[in-house]
């Protein structure tokens, strides 16, 4: 399964999906455990998990007759890499701007 970061950002725009991701950040959960923790129905949890699984944010494994869901570390890492790149570039540009302003002040 390939991981699509654009789809992940779009999917995480939904607050229920973010809440599911936050629950899964604490560890593996079944649909029932997620339903108990969130103010939505079991079918709604299942639909959100399906979306998160399709974009590579969540994976699952069989445990008896249940499925246990967990965050896909590759999916999380891809988003983290994008954020790291964004902040690195932002800080580099800020540093350049400060340097330019300092040079201009020194020339006066």
């Amino acid at each position: 399964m390939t991981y699509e970061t654009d789809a992940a950002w779009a999917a995480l725009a939904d607050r229920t999906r973010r809440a599911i991701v936050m629950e899964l950040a604490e560890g593996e959960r079944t649909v029932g455990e997620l339903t108990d923790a969130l103010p939505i129905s079991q079918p709604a949890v299942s639909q959100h998990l399906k979306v998160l699984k399709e974009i590579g944010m969540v994976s699952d494994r069989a445990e008896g007759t249940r499925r246990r869901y967990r965050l896909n570390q590759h999916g999380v890492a891809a988003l983290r890499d994008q954020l790291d790149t964004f902040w690195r570039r932002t800080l580099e540009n800020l540093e350049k701007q400060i340097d330019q302003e300092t040079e201009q002040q020194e020339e006066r």
Side-chain angles (χ1 to χ4, degrees):
M1 174 178 300
T2 59
Y3 181 78
E4 298 291 334
T5 54
D6 288 346
W9 290 117
L12 291 175
D14 183 282
R15 68 177 159 190
T16 301
R17 290 190 195 119
R18 288 193 310 272
I20 289 171
V21 167
M22 293 301 292
E23 284 292 320
L24 294 176
E26 299 295 321
E28 290 186 339
R29 303 280 193 273
T30 64
V31 171
E33 291 168 334
L34 289 167
T35 301
D36 290 344
L38 301 169
I40 60 173
S41 67
Q42 182 275 327
V45 169
S46 294
Q47 285 298 314
H48 286 294
L49 285 169
K50 180 182 176 186
V51 170
L52 291 168
K53 189 175 173 184
E54 287 174 352
I55 61 167
M57 283 293 296
V58 169
S59 57
D60 63 341
R61 66 177 178 85
E63 184 178 82
T65 59
R66 295 181 176 185
R67 301 211 65 78
R68 296 199 60 83
Y69 293 86
R70 63 185 174 275
L71 289 181
N72 178 330
Q73 295 306 312
H74 296 292
V76 173
L79 291 180
R80 187 176 52 240
D81 288 347
Q82 278 194 337
L83 284 174
D84 288 346
T85 299
F86 168 78
W87 284 113
R88 182 180 44 76
R89 288 178 182 167
T90 299
L91 292 173
E92 287 171 356
N93 287 332
L94 179 60
E95 186 177 6
K96 286 178 186 176
Q97 183 177 355
I98 290 171
D99 289 345
Q100 288 173 352
E101 290 176 5
T102 301
E103 288 174 10
Q104 289 174 355
Q105 288 178 356
E106 290 173 355
E107 290 175 356
R108 291 180 187 163

